[in-house]
Amino acid sequence: MKKYSLKYILVAAAAILAVIFPFITGEYYRHLAILTLMYAVLALSWDFAARAELVSFAHTGFFGLGAYTSAVTFLKLDFPLYLSFTVAVLLTIVVAIALGYLTLRLSGIYFAIASLAFSEVLLVVALQLPKVTGGAMGISVPSLFGGMRVYCYGLILGILALAVVVSLYLERSHFHLAFSAMRTSPSVASVLGVNTVRYRLSSFTLSAIFSCLAGAFYVHYTTTTIPYEAFNLNIGVASMVMAVLGGLYSTVGPVLGAIVLKIIEEYMRVTIPYGYMIIYGLLLVAGILFLPKGLVGVQNKWKFLK
Amino acid sequence: MEILKIENARKNFGGVKAVDGLSFSVQEGEILGIIGPNGAGKSTVFNLLCGLIPVDAGRIVFLGEDITLLAPHKRCHMGIGRTFQICQPFKELTVLGNVAVAAVFGHSKPVHPGKVKKYSEEVLAKVNLSSKKDLYPAQLTTPDLKLLEIARALATRPRLLLLDEMMAGLLPGECDKILDLIKGINREGITVILVEHVMRVVRELCQRVIVMNYGQKLCEGCYEDVTGDERVIEAYLGQEETVAQ
């Protein structure tokens, strides 16, 4: 009982801090917080797919798809913001289900390669359709909420809150049983009645939706993007690293991973003028080696020692 | 009533005819044994029946419906349950969680979400695993893992249960417990097909036995008839002493 109340206090404190953060800090920290929350959404979305044993690089693709669909519909079709987001999500759902069906037979590293190819294909498409996407020159949109960072913060916090709610539902419902079973053996799960196709597709699609939302937010927030940035594989890799380092198959893990890594990265970028990425990389290696279950696992380790 | 019929089923793995024109049927309520040497195609038959691998040719009819092309989870919903020769528990879930998977997903009319825990506990009580419900599979002994396999299959509320070498790796005393369990399951009206190498179990349980060799049905009949058949002795049983015990 005591343990639970501590947990709730921590969660409540984090939630309150998240809400008041933009009001007690300056523009720089607001900007940093916005990007951190965006990566938290990405890391959590990457984890959704991981829960069904899908190691995906398609998230880069969905991020870029969200960014470009939203930007293009907003600019060329004069859609209001919410409608351009909606169209981006709908398109992502269609694409994710189609890609999911095409790759149903693939697992492990083969699925990873197929998802990587998907992201690269979308990059090429974005480059080769200059009339729609602006090609290599990129695309620019007016700044989100007239550049009011507090509102931008509110929007991305809202998206993250939605992702957290979805994640908690997945963790506490029959999805959790299906995913855990499928991670051990999809065929045994199917013999026991689990519709593995449905659960695989739904985890992949949910995951794609949140990557798409992060992308759509990103382009409006930064006001401009180019294909090499929106479809940059680093986005997918970073979300994977944050999820793995924070702790897979959990809600707290990916969010915590995103926050911790983003803070470390930014701190190093500012304090170490040259080659900060090398130290950052070494830290990641150490993290994977010593915290195989991620930051969330640390807490369990202590429990075990006691 | 005929619950299952398999007609002229074929399955090749490359050049190997794992199942080669096999036909048989199962009556509701009976216990059918399938025996035969290693590599005869017994486990492949189970995989064809539960849908894990598709037949190359032939038909499978369950409860009067053609299920040849049906996905494994749909066959499970219709009432085909199975265990695996090599125990395959879900290692991330507790014993109770393992059974809950089957309880939640295993039937076309799912157990009410609020009653899953109670239902799963009842199934575990049936196989005498209640005291271990909160353990993880890695903490279980082989006999308990076998019981968990049965519990999971039972939790899907099957009408036909396929048991793949339940006794392999068990001591005689442990065999007896599972033997009684299978008898009890059958008494509740669940039809059973079992693949087994322990002949004592086949003799005690099966009303009818099919002997397979090279993917084909070598012969079929009651235990005494098939074990007395010269072809069976030659292909599988070997010396007569084995039969006599």
Side-chain angles (χ1 to χ4, degrees):
Chain A
M1 198 59 215
K2 217 176 177 185
K3 197 189 92 210
Y4 274 106
S5 49
L6 178 68
K7 194 168 136 191
Y8 287 128
I9 291 170
L10 280 176
V11 169
I16 292 169
L17 181 67
V19 172
I20 62 169
F21 189 82
F23 301 107
I24 56 172
T25 50
E27 285 291 285
Y28 167 70
Y29 284 105
R30 258 175 233 157
H31 173 67
L32 199 60
I34 286 169
L35 288 185
T36 305
L37 292 180
M38 190 191 86
Y39 269 100
V41 173
L42 279 168
L44 203 51
S45 94
W46 193 86
D47 193 64
F48 289 171
R51 290 176 201 190
E53 201 74 335
L54 298 169
V55 177
S56 161
F57 290 96
H59 288 72
T60 294
F62 290 121
F63 181 87
L65 188 68
Y68 266 95
T69 312
S70 167
V72 168
T73 50
F74 185 81
L75 268 188
K76 312 241 155 148
L77 301 176
D78 268 337
F79 282 9
L81 197 65
Y82 71 90
L83 199 57
S84 79
F85 270 55
T86 313
V87 173
V89 167
L90 291 177
L91 182 64
T92 296
I93 292 174
V94 173
V95 174
I97 290 175
L99 181 66
Y101 259 107
L102 282 174
T103 54
L104 266 185
R105 285 162 175 275
L106 304 178
S107 64
I109 200 154
Y110 301 99
F111 177 81
I113 292 171
S115 65
L116 182 65
F118 163 76
S119 293
E120 291 295 292
V121 166
L122 284 190
L123 167 66
V124 174
V125 171
L127 283 170
Q128 298 299 322
L129 286 175
K131 281 204 179 117
V132 185
T133 63
M137 296 299 291
I139 195 164
S140 295
V141 291
S143 62
L144 186 60
F145 302 125
M148 299 276 284
R149 285 234 165 89
V150 174
Y151 291 112
C152 299
Y153 182 93
L155 178 58
I156 193 67
L157 187 64
I159 295 173
L160 178 61
L162 192 61
V164 166
V165 168
V166 170
S167 172
L168 290 175
Y169 175 71
L170 294 182
E171 248 176 52
R172 280 162 173 70
S173 65
H174 56 285
F175 278 89
H176 166 69
L177 285 176
F179 290 155
S180 309
M182 284 161 64
R183 282 201 293 271
T184 304
S185 168
S187 47
V188 177
S190 71
V191 166
L192 289 174
V194 180
N195 185 345
T196 50
V197 171
R198 181 197 288 168
Y199 284 95
R200 187 174 154 142
L201 285 181
S202 42
S203 97
F204 190 58
T205 308
L206 274 174
S207 161
I209 289 171
F210 283 100
S211 284
C212 156
L213 282 173
F217 171 82
Y218 177 78
V219 71
H220 290 283
Y221 176 64
T222 59
T223 70
T224 177
T225 195
I226 55 169
Y228 285 112
E229 186 187 51
F231 293 100
N232 190 333
L233 280 178
N234 282 346
I235 296 163
V237 173
S239 22
M240 168 166 65
V241 169
M242 285 163 176
V244 171
L245 215 76
L248 286 174
Y249 321 140
S250 68
T251 306
V252 181
V255 175
L256 195 65
I259 294 171
V260 169
L261 282 184
K262 210 66 199 161
I263 290 173
I264 293 177
E265 188 193 337
E266 184 66 13
Y267 177 74
M268 290 194 158
R269 193 177 68 82
V270 177
T271 50
I272 307 172
Y274 298 105
Y276 80 96
M277 282 308 266
I278 296 175
I279 313 237
Y280 183 63
L282 285 174
L283 256 175
L284 292 185
V285 172
I288 303 281
L289 279 178
F290 296 112
L291 304 172
K293 293 208 164 154
L295 295 169
V296 181
V298 175
Q299 176 211 348
N300 296 338
K301 230 182 215 169
W302 284 339
K303 232 186 269 166
F304 178 70
L305 286 174
K306 277 173 198 166
Chain B
M1 184 197 129
E2 190 177 76
I3 190 166
L4 177 85
K5 192 166 70 181
I6 177 163
E7 288 175 358
N8 211 11
R10 285 174 199 283
K11 184 73 207 178
N12 297 345
F13 296 118
V16 180
K17 291 176 177 169
V19 174
D20 186 11
L22 182 74
S23 304
F24 66 85
S25 65
V26 186
Q27 299 301 312
E28 181 149 30
E30 80 170 326
I31 302 184
L32 171 73
I34 301 181
I35 61 172
N38 289 325
K42 306 181 297 292
S43 289
T44 307
V45 171
F46 273 15
N47 284 336
L48 296 177
L49 289 178
C50 75
L52 277 183
I53 47 181
V55 289
D56 291 340
R59 249 176 111 222
I60 304 170
V61 179
F62 179 64
L63 293 170
E65 265 185 67
D66 190 326
I67 60 162
T68 315
L69 299 174
L70 224 54
H73 70 271
K74 288 192 184 139
R75 297 192 199 194
C76 172
H77 294 169
M78 284 181 72
I80 300 183
R82 78 165 284 184
T83 65
F84 289 85
Q85 182 183 346
I86 297 163
C87 297
Q88 304 210 24
F90 302 128
K91 54 182 192 282
E92 294 177 30
L93 297 171
T94 60
V95 167
L96 190 68
N98 266 274
V99 177
V101 170
V104 171
F105 298 102
H107 200 271
S108 46
K109 290 191 199 83
V111 180
H112 184 274
K115 292 186 181 138
V116 167
K117 185 155 182 269
K118 190 162 164 282
Y119 173 80
S120 307
E121 280 168 351
E122 281 167 14
V123 175
L124 281 173
K126 217 181 269 178
V127 302
N128 223 344
L129 264 186
S130 296
S131 58
K132 291 166 184 158
K133 68 184 168 74
D134 294 321
L135 297 183
Y136 284 88
Q139 299 165 293
L140 294 188
T141 57
T142 307
D144 286 344
L145 284 172
K146 300 256 175 188
L147 291 175
L148 176 57
E149 283 280 325
I150 295 182
R152 261 186 345 189
L154 281 183
T156 68
R157 289 174 278 163
R159 295 187 62 175
L160 170 68
L161 185 58
L162 314 175
L163 299 173
D164 199 353
E165 292 202 30
M166 289 315 298
M167 309 301 177
L170 296 188
L171 298 169
E174 295 159 353
C175 279
D176 286 337
K177 277 185 203 151
I178 292 193
L179 206 126
D180 289 338
L181 182 60
I182 297 173
K183 277 183 189 159
I185 291 167
N186 182 242
R187 236 177 279 127
E188 281 176 29
I190 299 173
T191 312
V192 176
I193 308 181
L194 52 92
V195 163
E196 197 48 75
H197 280 299
V198 180
M199 295 307 284
R200 179 173 67 94
V201 172
V202 179
R203 186 181 61 210
E204 280 203 33
L205 285 178
C206 303
Q207 285 108 28
R208 200 154 59 92
V209 179
I210 288 173
V211 187
M212 281 185 72
N213 197 23
Y214 295 112
Q216 292 172 329
K217 187 160 71 180
L218 197 62
C219 71
E220 180 180 345
C222 69
Y223 178 82
E224 284 73 21
D225 288 352
V226 297
T227 49
D229 192 304
E230 273 184 28
R231 292 168 301 169
V232 178
I233 293 171
E234 195 189 328
Y236 179 50
L237 298 173
Q239 290 151 20
E240 289 209 14
E241 307 138 37
T242 328
V243 184
Q245 60 163 234

